[in-house]
Amino acid sequence: EDQVTQSPEALRLQEGESSSLNCSYTVSGLRGLFWYRQDPGKGPEFLFTLYSAGEEKEKERLKATLTKKESFLHITAPKPEDSATYLCAVDGTGDMRFGAGTRLTVKP
Amino acid sequence: EAGVAQSPRYKIIEKRQSVAFWCNPISGHATLYWYQQILGQGPKLLIQFQNNGVVDDSQLPKDRFSAERLKGVDSTLKIQPAKLEDSAVYLCASSPWAGNTEAFFGQGTRLTVV
């Protein structure tokens, strides 16, 4: 069965303190890995899709990378407005499977 | 461009009652998804439509949950009868592409079963 594990569950950073969020996955055949951002009381908002190991995508202060076993979401010099829950999801042999997310808090 | 619209935003019902949620996807989006998100967890796919046909409903508890997509546009998700463990946020999402792709989510309906 496809599995997605995100770590850490929660992360508190000071503004400007760079860090990385991890998404480990076990799927029979990865067709795509997705990163979403979810603010409280709202639906997830799409950030990136990665399809193959070695692929990287960037958007503002966020950079997503992919290996054969995991994906990282690197956040550089975060700002308070980057505070949210970050979800990853994998499309493997079954349906789209989401991780539980990492709740990021960035303090000014 | 208008986003995915869902209603109601909040609903409180007693166990064994029935409830229905409505979703209007982004215009022209062929694929529509219903997800269940329990507090502290990631969304779990309940059902996926391609136009008005069901693509995947393997995780839909069919003894109590049903969903339909009228004329390939709006969709409704119904729970009858509701159980305490159905308390969750029900998210609707749509995509212009087929299959499992990036999706555009609505704000969700928060259901509380008491």
Side-chain angles (χ1 to χ4, degrees):
Chain A
E1 183 180 282
D2 297 349
Q3 289 194 335
V4 182
T5 303
Q6 292 189 247
S7 62
E9 289 186 12
L11 182 62
R12 295 170 66 93
L13 300 174
Q14 287 296 126
E15 184 172 2
E17 180 186 2
S18 301
S19 188
S20 297
L21 284 53
N22 177 264
C23 173
S24 297
Y25 61 89
T26 305
V27 296
S28 300
L30 181 70
R31 294 187 289 195
L33 185 143
F34 304 81
W35 282 98
Y36 285 85
R37 168 192 172 129
Q38 187 172 27
D39 291 297
K42 295 191 175 182
E45 176 186 348
F46 172 76
L47 294 173
F48 304 109
T49 307
L50 301 167
Y51 292 104
S52 57
E55 190 175 359
E56 299 182 352
K57 295 270 180 76
E58 285 190 65
K59 179 180 179 180
E60 296 180 355
R61 295 176 293 283
L62 299 176
K63 179 180 176 181
T65 62
L66 181 65
T67 73
K68 289 187 177 180
K69 294 183 178 180
E70 58 192 351
S71 177
F72 291 94
L73 185 65
H74 306 277
I75 181 162
T76 302
K79 297 181 177 181
E81 54 262 42
D82 295 321
S83 296
T85 295
Y86 290 85
L87 298 163
C88 78
V90 296
D91 177 21
T93 54
D95 53 33
M96 187 81 78
R97 192 164 294 261
F98 278 80
T102 292
R103 188 173 64 254
L104 175 66
T105 304
V106 182
K107 294 289 191 181
Chain B
E1 179 183 71
V4 176
Q6 290 189 246
S7 67
R9 285 297 315 276
Y10 306 94
K11 191 74 177 178
I12 301 175
I13 62 172
E14 295 183 349
K15 59 184 179 184
R16 292 187 290 274
Q17 285 188 324
S18 63
V19 64
F21 313 126
W22 174 81
C23 173
N24 181 228
I26 294 172
S27 177
H29 281 197
T31 304
L32 185 146
Y33 314 82
W34 281 103
Y35 284 89
Q36 178 193 59
Q37 187 173 25
I38 293 172
L39 187 64
Q41 299 182 18
K44 171 189 164 184
L45 180 69
L46 293 176
I47 190 167
Q48 178 181 344
F49 292 94
Q50 183 72 25
N51 296 308
N52 60 353
V54 176
V55 173
D56 182 358
D57 63 356
S58 57
Q59 298 202 77
L60 186 73
K62 298 180 185 64
D63 58 334
R64 297 184 302 106
F65 287 64
S66 65
E68 61 179 0
R69 189 177 185 193
L70 303 173
K71 299 180 181 178
V73 182
D74 292 7
S75 178
T76 56
L77 177 69
K78 297 179 181 178
I79 307 175
Q80 180 178 16
K83 293 185 175 181
L84 296 177
E85 58 261 37
D86 298 331
S87 294
V89 175
Y90 290 85
L91 294 162
C92 178
S94 69
S95 171
W97 306 285
N100 292 326
T101 70
E102 65 185 80
F104 299 81
F105 283 80
Q107 294 200 73
T109 296
R110 181 176 297 277
L111 173 68
T112 303
V113 183
V114 298

